Amino acid sequence: MAMIKEIANRYQILSLIGQGGMADVYRAKDKILDRVVAIKVLRSKLSEDPMVLVRFQREASAASRLSHPNVVDIYDVGEYEGMHYIVMEYIRGRTLKQLIMQRGALNFKEALDIMKQLVSAVVAAHQKNIIHRDIKPQNVLIKDDGTIKITDFGIAVASDSVQLTLNNAVMGSAHYLAPETAQGKEPTEQVDIYSLGIVFYELLTGTVPFKGQTPTEIAIQHLRVSMPYVRDFNPGIPQSVENIILKATAKDPEERYAHASDMLYDIEHCRDRDQRGIERLKLKNPSVQDAKTNPSKSKATKEEKEKKHSSKMFGALVGICVALIVCLSSFFVLSLSGVISLSGLFGQYTIPDVIEMSEDQAKETLVEAGFTEDQISIEKKADDSVEVDHVISVSPKEGTKAGQDDSIVLTICKGPTYLIQDYTGQYLSDIQAQFEEEGLHIQINVEERAMPNTNPGYILEQKGLSVGDRIDPDQEVEITFVVAAYPSIEISADWIGQTYEQVYEELNAMGIAVARSGSGSTIVDVSPSVGTTYIQEGSDSYITLYTE
């Protein structure tokens, strides 16, 4: 299949900028209006699938009905020489997911500005009875001027439309999936609100709240595990902001925002004066697990603990009195013998508290306490709790005694640690560039796994370093990424003599593109030839089955 050069005698293809399981996206020039556009072209082998075609047309219909500054504009929709295409606004910039990967947790003020734009776009969609159903940072574009643009209405539905299939209700991305969607319930506006809450959490923490090895594991957590508090991650986030996330991600839709416009109002007013000092939002059903507590059992356990506590109190008091007498006697004896001395006596000095002082201040304080600069040595360490060039710890510890012959080690902060994030769902080349740009010494090991309808280099799994690990940026460590690779297959002689439909279904299930030559149903030949290895490299390659 030759590379597309022009569509509808109007759009000149400039480059391929993206590939998905359903369509390819090109950067093109509109020769009539002299502007650069993006064109999404449905893959030819899928255009014969009525379900896929309906979803593709639904995306065009849903997005074209919206006119909003935070929704990607649709310019044209059509069919040319059997190709179905959507012409849309070309966005120069990056996805919101890429921004989070590069910067980690955002300042809450910046996150509020992003969410205000994103939620306002969803409000506009809901007003047109359009439910997006796949809101995630990968589907949000950021222009160079900071404008947010939501895109990819590929599985959007009108709230009054008929479902395509039984599986249609559980489509979307597992990390942002509303609990009722995981249960197969019919989608409402509130599934988008839940996803918005998860995106808000990710903006403020740099990671998603629920993780797992499979989509099923993640879906179960959405159903049963309480939403983590963003203020536990960063106490500087206002409680009113955390409350927005808690309300948007309530497990029970009745406790969730009823409309996206309600969520937008809270985002716009969460920093008002009357929101200061507000208490944490309490939900009736924060999780399935929380609702399974047995009150009577808890009460009985409490009474037993109180009895045990009372019986132990008397013994503890006696023990404390005896210990005090022993300690006082020992202190008196040791003082007389010279083992214990006041600071400076017998050449023993007390290590002062120098934690969080600058290196120079700490040295000066130690010298004032009776030590010499010659006995002070410095070690550098990455740390997140102390400012750069300030003291993390001292050895011997502060408050203990040391002589002028003893070595004193000051551990100084050389900078922050590096947070290992969840890189699954990203591309290997992006992560390699990110590590290199940030000057990290992380060796990347790569394992390939053949995956149909998945772009090569897409990270499926990470091993070696766990999400949440913090490392010294100068530390030499290893991480292993399992990445998607093009499916490959050996051309089989067994296909000769079988019907086209049998072999087509087998290959199509593996993600292999198939072309047919001839009008018969029995396969008489195949290209490439029998015995060779075929690799499905994108949508421009295919196996040809000759029939008669």
Side-chain angles (χ1 to χ4, degrees):
M1 184 183 296
M3 172 68 177
I4 303 172
K5 295 182 178 179
E6 192 171 276
I7 294 176
N9 299 318
R10 173 176 178 175
Y11 303 107
Q12 179 185 351
I13 301 301
L14 302 176
S15 63
L16 177 66
I17 58 176
Q19 289 183 303
M22 193 170 72
D24 298 325
V25 183
Y26 298 90
R27 185 170 66 93
K29 180 181 180 181
D30 184 338
K31 296 192 296 182
I32 295 178
L33 298 179
D34 192 26
R35 64 181 176 186
V36 175
V37 297
I39 301 184
K40 179 178 284 191
V41 180
L42 182 65
R43 292 183 176 174
S44 57
K45 68 174 183 177
L46 298 176
S47 61
E48 297 177 0
D49 186 329
M51 290 297 182
V52 173
L53 187 57
V54 167
R55 288 196 181 105
F56 189 76
Q57 293 169 341
R58 174 179 285 175
E59 172 178 8
S61 173
S64 62
R65 287 161 54 194
L66 294 173
S67 178
H68 190 276
N70 300 119
V71 176
V72 172
D73 289 330
I74 300 296
Y75 298 141
D76 189 16
V77 178
E79 179 184 355
Y80 176 71
E81 294 183 350
M83 290 185 298
H84 296 268
Y85 63 88
I86 304 172
V87 182
M88 63 187 75
E89 177 183 8
Y90 175 68
I91 306 296
R92 298 180 186 277
R94 52 186 168 173
T95 68
L96 188 56
K97 189 69 173 182
Q98 290 171 326
L99 175 69
I100 296 171
M101 286 175 54
Q102 292 165 0
R103 293 182 48 192
L106 303 185
N107 177 276
F108 80 88
K109 296 178 183 177
E110 185 177 2
L112 278 171
D113 179 65
I114 291 173
M115 289 303 300
K116 182 178 178 180
Q117 297 182 65
L118 182 54
V119 177
S120 65
V122 175
V123 170
H126 289 180
Q127 288 173 346
K128 295 286 187 180
N129 295 324
I130 297 170
I131 305 168
H132 189 285
R133 294 205 306 151
D134 197 19
I135 293 171
K136 57 185 178 182
Q138 294 90 328
N139 286 340
V140 179
L141 303 174
I142 308 176
K143 296 177 67 175
D144 294 336
D145 64 0
T147 302
I148 297 298
K149 291 278 189 176
I150 188 170
T151 186
D152 203 344
F153 285 78
I155 61 172
V157 296
S159 60
D160 56 355
S161 68
V162 176
Q163 300 300 307
L164 291 177
T165 66
L166 291 174
N167 292 328
N168 194 48
V170 293
M171 293 179 66
S173 301
H175 287 112
Y176 310 89
L177 199 70
E180 62 268 30
T181 305
Q183 293 173 319
K185 295 181 180 179
E186 212 169 292
T188 67
E189 294 179 8
Q190 289 180 298
V191 303
D192 284 348
I193 293 171
Y194 186 90
S195 299
L196 289 169
I198 301 295
V199 172
F200 201 0
Y201 179 93
E202 187 175 2
L203 287 173
L204 293 171
T205 64
T207 185
V208 291
F210 304 122
K211 303 180 182 71
Q213 297 297 318
T214 65
T216 301
E217 288 182 20
I218 299 170
I220 290 173
Q221 292 182 66
H222 281 290
L223 283 164
R224 298 185 177 178
V225 179
S226 298
M227 187 70 181
Y229 298 127
V230 292
R231 280 173 53 80
D232 289 348
F233 175 86
N234 179 4
I237 296 172
Q239 185 60 60
S240 58
V241 172
E242 182 183 74
N243 285 353
I244 294 173
I245 295 174
L246 293 176
K247 190 171 181 64
T249 58
K251 309 291 185 189
D252 186 348
E254 291 187 3
E255 294 190 88
R256 203 178 304 160
Y257 288 108
H259 304 287
S261 56
D262 299 331
M263 183 178 181
L264 180 60
Y265 179 87
D266 281 357
I267 289 173
E268 293 174 335
H269 295 278
C270 65
R271 299 185 65 199
D272 291 354
R273 183 178 297 274
D274 63 357
Q275 294 296 304
R276 298 176 185 175
I278 193 171
E279 294 184 356
R280 174 173 283 165
L281 179 68
K282 294 182 180 179
L283 300 172
K284 296 178 182 177
N285 298 309
S287 73
V288 172
Q289 292 173 339
D290 293 346
K292 292 182 178 179
T293 305
N294 188 326
S296 60
K297 185 177 180 181
S298 299
K299 183 177 180 181
T301 303
K302 183 178 179 181
E303 291 175 353
E304 290 173 7
K305 288 182 177 180
E306 288 177 351
K307 290 179 181 178
K308 290 180 180 179
H309 178 72
S310 299
S311 63
K312 290 181 179 178
M313 283 297 294
F314 180 75
L317 287 172
V318 172
I320 290 171
C321 291
V322 173
L324 283 173
I325 293 171
V326 172
C327 288
L328 288 171
S329 301
S330 300
F331 180 82
F332 180 73
V333 173
L334 292 172
S335 296
L336 290 176
S337 64
V339 175
I340 293 178
S341 62
L342 298 175
S343 184
L345 294 179
F346 308 105
Q348 295 289 309
Y349 298 88
T350 302
I351 303 289
D353 185 1
V354 294
I355 306 302
E356 296 190 3
M357 288 185 181
S358 68
E359 181 179 331
D360 292 340
Q361 287 176 324
K363 287 181 178 178
E364 184 179 338
T365 302
L366 285 166
V367 170
E368 290 175 353
F371 302 101
T372 65
E373 283 200 38
D374 292 339
Q375 67 185 118
I376 302 172
S377 61
I378 303 296
E379 289 184 358
K380 297 281 189 177
K381 179 183 176 183
D383 192 88
D384 302 299
S385 61
V386 176
E387 292 182 46
V388 177
D389 295 329
H390 285 59
V391 179
I392 301 169
S393 63
V394 60
S395 178
K397 291 184 66 175
E398 61 274 15
T400 59
K401 302 289 176 57
Q404 292 186 331
D405 293 332
D406 296 324
S407 175
I408 298 174
V409 180
L410 290 175
T411 303
I412 306 295
C413 177
K414 66 178 180 179
T417 61
Y418 184 80
L419 177 66
I420 298 299
Q421 300 180 31
D422 185 356
Y423 303 113
T424 57
Q426 311 306 311
Y427 285 93
L428 177 64
S429 58
D430 292 337
I431 304 304
Q432 289 172 325
Q434 179 183 335
F435 286 174
E436 184 176 347
E437 181 181 341
E438 296 181 0
L440 303 175
H441 295 77
I442 302 178
Q443 178 181 325
I444 298 177
N445 302 317
V446 179
E447 297 176 5
E448 292 188 340
R449 182 184 298 164
M451 292 290 289
N453 299 320
T454 305
N455 291 335
Y458 182 88
I459 299 175
L460 304 168
E461 182 183 348
Q462 67 186 63
K463 298 184 287 188
L465 292 176
S466 301
V467 177
D469 286 350
R470 290 189 176 273
I471 63 168
D472 185 328
D474 299 324
Q475 181 182 358
E476 294 188 359
V477 294
E478 294 185 12
I479 190 169
T480 299
F481 289 135
V482 180
V483 302
Y486 284 124
S488 63
I489 190 173
E490 183 177 327
I491 304 299
S492 174
D494 294 339
W495 299 343
I496 309 298
Q498 293 191 50
T499 65
Y500 170 81
E501 288 73 17
Q502 289 174 320
V503 178
Y504 171 82
E505 288 181 6
E506 175 187 342
L507 295 178
N508 192 250
M510 299 172 60
I512 304 293
V514 179
R516 183 176 189 170
S517 179
S519 58
S521 61
T522 302
I523 299 173
V524 295
D525 199 2
V526 60
S527 176
S529 58
V530 170
T532 59
T533 298
Y534 171 80
I535 300 175
Q536 180 65 54
E537 298 181 346
S539 58
D540 294 334
S541 61
Y542 47 81
I543 292 175
T544 302
L545 301 177
Y546 296 90
T547 63
E548 66 176 23

